[in-house]
């Protein structure tokens, strides 16, 4: 089979204006970025905002493993399958980050015959949204350091500057740095560091804002430091909010592209789900719901991360409610959760598979506890045996959960028709949506609720620093905000080595940070890092471009 990039390069894709027409958009509704990419003009919202919403499908997954699950591929293939059976559908996804693209994970535009295109552009600079975010974030950092240099009128405590700089690459050498060295003319020396752009609060703000006015309001609330009296200092205090909003005036507009089969795709925003809230933008999702009858969206990593944050943060702030949740699993990953090593996964092993199904069971329970119907999509691999597939199907039947095999990677939309009908069958199922915690609970109560209900932990431990940070945030009036927990994606616990469905574990809160503009509190568990590092053999070593422009090795 051809590589992903080879499949994408051989595809005959339509001009983006014709893709927009499928959603009722005209050429005047689009700001073109060449022939195959466009942004949707802000004025479109006034015309479509009173349209009835389509059905919203959230695609999530079991706890990810190096064996692969294929959540984005399944999302794209499912949308194509709905398109094939005659539904007016749109897929709404996150933009890929350059960090994993050149690191270990590779691109994030789907795979095989279920991709969004132009794949190379989407995985690289796309329409420049991430560059605009990086620039805006770093402008705020520069203005902050300049304020310290020019007399520090706001009496900022240089030991309590919390706004770092960002870069959309994996670079561990930048995690901890000292700025302002070189004498008086070069600034005030202080410790700082870099996060990856997708972990920036500005990324969360972009993805949670309803429009430019809301974006500007949220930017102004960003807390960059605390003064000598312990009071927060904001972007508004630094008088830079207008400039930040200006830099993001185009970035807030959703991006329109297409799948290999010509299904419209809105790709916008890209926070990681392990260190951020893991969902594409509210604006893209809402546009899609007004323009299509069925919308497929995804949330990063397993349901304990992306789906929990989609439901407890994005839905809480936007009023969105999914009509169905798809949980993607693979035989390979389930066997890995059952104790099989990666190099042994091709060998049939029903015993390990049964053990690994405990992980799937927990994710199903979590979705059902939110009051939503779940559908299990088994992403096919050539090494799957009939006996193993039958075991998963039987398990789902015993759980009274719809099951369908997905073969979209190899077959495109044809391989997802069964899944499309399975998802459609639960649209009218009874729903009783509820959050994991309520707004008026304390920060510790919220953390405990997610840890116990979603992860299955028996309790939560706190570092001394985290306890103090929580007390400070509640004293300053931020205690009612929802929480965004940053933890490893590889386990339901905060220990990446604990596969399957770990029992009798505690999670440790190391640090608690405020994201006042985004409107949530970030809770860091274990040793999670907000600036990833590169592996020993990064993907960047395999990527190339020929003199005539042919790209290879991108995925």
């Amino acid at each position: 089979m051809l590589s992903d990039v080879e499949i994408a390069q051989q595809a005959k894709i339509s001009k983006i204006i014709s893709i927009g027409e499928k959603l009722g958009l005209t050429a005047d509704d689009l700001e073109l970025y060449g022939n195959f990419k466009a942004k949707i003009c802000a004025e479109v919202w006034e015309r479509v905002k009173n349209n009835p919403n389509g059905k919203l499908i959230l695609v999530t997954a079991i706890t990810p493993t190096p064996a692969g699950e294929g959540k984005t591929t399944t999302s794209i293939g499912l949308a194509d399958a709905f398109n094939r059976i005659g539904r007016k559908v749109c897929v709404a996804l996150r933009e890929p980050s350059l960090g994993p693209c050149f690191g270990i994970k590779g691109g994030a535009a789907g795979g095989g015959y279920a991709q969004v295109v132009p794949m190379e552009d989407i995985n690289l600079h796309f329409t420049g949204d991430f560059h605009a975010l990086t620039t805006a974030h770093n402008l705020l950092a520069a203005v902050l350091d300049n304020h310290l240099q020019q007399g520090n009128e706001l009496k900022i405590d240089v030991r309590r500057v919390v706004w770092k700089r960002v870069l959309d690459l994996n670079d561990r050498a930048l995690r901890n740095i000292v700025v302002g060295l070189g004498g008086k003319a070069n600034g005030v020396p202080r410790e700082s560091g870099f996060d990856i752009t997708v972990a920036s609060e500005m990324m969360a703000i972009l993805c949670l804002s309803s429009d430019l006015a809301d974006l500007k309001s949220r930017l102004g609330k960003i807390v960059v430091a605390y003064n000598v009296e312990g009071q927060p200092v904001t972007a508004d205090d630094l008088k830079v909010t207008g400039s930040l909003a200006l830099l993001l005036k185009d970035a807030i507009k959703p991006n329109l592209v297409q799948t290999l089969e010509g299904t419209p795709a809105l790709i916008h925003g890209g926070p990681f789900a392990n260190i951020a809230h893991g969902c594409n933008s509210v604006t893209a999702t809402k546009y899609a719901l007004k323009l299509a009858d069925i919308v497929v969206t995804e949330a990063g990593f397993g349901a304990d991360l992306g789906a929990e944050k989609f439901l407890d943060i994005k839905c809480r702030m936007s009023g969105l409610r999914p009509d169905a949740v798809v949980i993607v699993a693979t035989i390979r990953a389930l066997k890995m959760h059952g104790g099989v090593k990666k190099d042994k996964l091709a060998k049939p092993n029903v015993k390990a598979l049964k053990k690994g199904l405990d992980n799937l069971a927990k994710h199903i329970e979590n979705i059902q506890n939110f009051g939503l119907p779940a559908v299990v999509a088994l992403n096919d691999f050539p090494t799957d045996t009939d006996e193993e597939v039958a075991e998963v199907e039987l398990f789902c039947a015993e759980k009274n959960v719809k099951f369908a095999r997905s073969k979209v990677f190899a077959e495109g939309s044809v391989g997802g028709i069964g899944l499309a009908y399975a998802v459609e069958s639960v649209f009218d199922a009874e729903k009783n949506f509820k959050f994991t915690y309520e707004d008026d609970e304390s920060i510790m109560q919220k953390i405990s609720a997610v840890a116990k209900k979603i992860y299955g932990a028996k309790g939560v431990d706190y570092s001394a620093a985290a306890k103090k940070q929580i007390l400070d945030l509640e004293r300053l009036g931020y205690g009612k905000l929802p929480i965004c927990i940053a933890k490893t994606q590889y386990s339901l616990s905060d220990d990446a080595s604990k596969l399957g469905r770990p029992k009798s574990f505690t999670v440790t809160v190391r640090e608690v940070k405020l994201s006042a503009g985004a409107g949530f509190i970030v809770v860091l568990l274990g040793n999670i890092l907000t600036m990833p590092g590169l592996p020993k053999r990064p993907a960047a070593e395999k990527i190339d471009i020929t003199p005539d422009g042919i790209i290879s090795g991108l995925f």
Side-chain angles (χ1 to χ4, degrees), residues 238-479:
L238 291 170
K239 300 180 174 60
V240 72
T241 305
S243 291
L244 301 178
L246 176 61
L247 285 169
L248 300 178
K249 69 178 181 65
D250 293 319
I252 194 173
K253 301 170 186 175
N255 305 299
L256 176 66
V257 288
Q258 63 190 291
T259 70
L260 288 173
E261 299 190 21
T263 301
L266 296 184
I267 299 184
H268 193 219
F272 284 172
N274 57 345
I275 55 179
H277 79 279
C279 313
N280 76 315
S281 75
V282 167
T283 54
T285 307
K286 285 190 170 182
Y287 269 96
L289 286 168
K290 297 298 183 183
L291 295 169
D293 296 331
I294 294 175
V295 175
V296 182
T297 192
E298 56 92 30
F301 295 124
D304 56 315
L305 285 167
E308 185 273 320
K309 294 169 184 179
F310 184 100
L311 298 168
D312 277 326
I313 298 175
K314 184 173 179 177
C315 288
R316 188 186 303 264
M317 294 186 185
S318 65
L320 296 170
R321 300 290 185 267
D323 295 282
V325 179
V326 176
I327 304 173
V328 180
T330 65
I331 299 282
R332 289 166 53 85
L334 290 169
K335 287 192 291 189
M336 200 164 193
H337 279 296
V340 178
K341 301 296 183 184
K342 186 178 179 181
D343 60 354
K344 305 292 184 184
L345 292 174
K347 183 179 179 181
N349 192 329
V350 174
K351 182 179 179 181
L353 173 64
K354 288 182 177 180
K355 184 178 178 183
L357 283 167
D358 276 351
N359 185 269
L360 174 59
K362 178 56 177 163
H363 291 295
I364 291 173
E365 290 168 18
N366 286 347
I367 297 304
Q368 291 176 336
N369 287 337
F370 276 107
L372 298 170
V375 177
V376 171
L378 187 67
N379 191 11
D380 264 32
F381 275 76
T383 54
D384 299 346
T385 67
D386 291 343
E387 185 181 9
E388 290 171 325
V389 173
E391 190 65 42
V392 179
E393 187 170 9
L394 176 62
F395 171 84
C396 292
E398 292 172 346
K399 294 285 184 182
N400 196 28
V401 170
K402 292 284 185 179
F403 166 88
R405 297 174 72 175
S406 173
K407 301 182 179 181
V408 298
F409 181 90
E411 300 177 8
S413 61
V414 172
I417 291 175
L419 176 59
Y421 283 127
V423 172
E424 203 168 45
S425 73
V426 305
F427 280 164
D428 296 324
E430 183 179 350
K431 302 173 188 69
N432 182 28
F433 181 75
K434 53 184 177 295
F435 299 119
T436 306
Y437 52 82
E438 299 302 325
D439 291 338
D440 59 0
E441 294 181 50
S442 70
I443 295 173
M444 284 190 175
Q445 286 174 327
K446 291 169 185 171
I447 295 170
S448 179
V450 174
K452 291 180 178 180
K453 295 179 184 179
I454 303 297
Y455 308 154
K458 68 176 183 180
V460 182
D461 292 330
Y462 295 86
S463 70
K467 288 180 181 178
K468 183 180 185 306
Q469 289 158 350
I470 289 171
L471 288 173
D472 286 344
L473 290 176
E474 291 181 333
R475 173 181 59 82
L476 292 168
Y478 295 110

Side-chain angles (χ1 to χ4, degrees), residues 140 143 147 153-154 220 234-244:
L140 182 53
V143 169
H147 182 87
E153 181 182 343
L154 294 171
T234 66
D236 272 349
D237 293 329
L238 291 170
K239 300 180 174 60
V240 72
T241 305
S243 291
L244 301 178

Side-chain angles (χ1 to χ4, degrees), residues 63-65 336-340 359 490-491 495-502:
T63 303
T65 70
M336 200 164 193
H337 279 296
V340 178
N359 185 269
Y490 295 119
S491 174
D495 181 349
S497 67
K498 289 184 167 67
L499 302 184
R501 184 175 182 172

Side-chain angles (χ1 to χ4, degrees), residues 26-39:
T26 68
D28 290 338
D29 294 328
L30 303 177
E31 296 176 4
L32 302 183
Y33 284 66
N35 290 323
F36 307 110
K37 299 172 290 183
K39 281 188 171 288

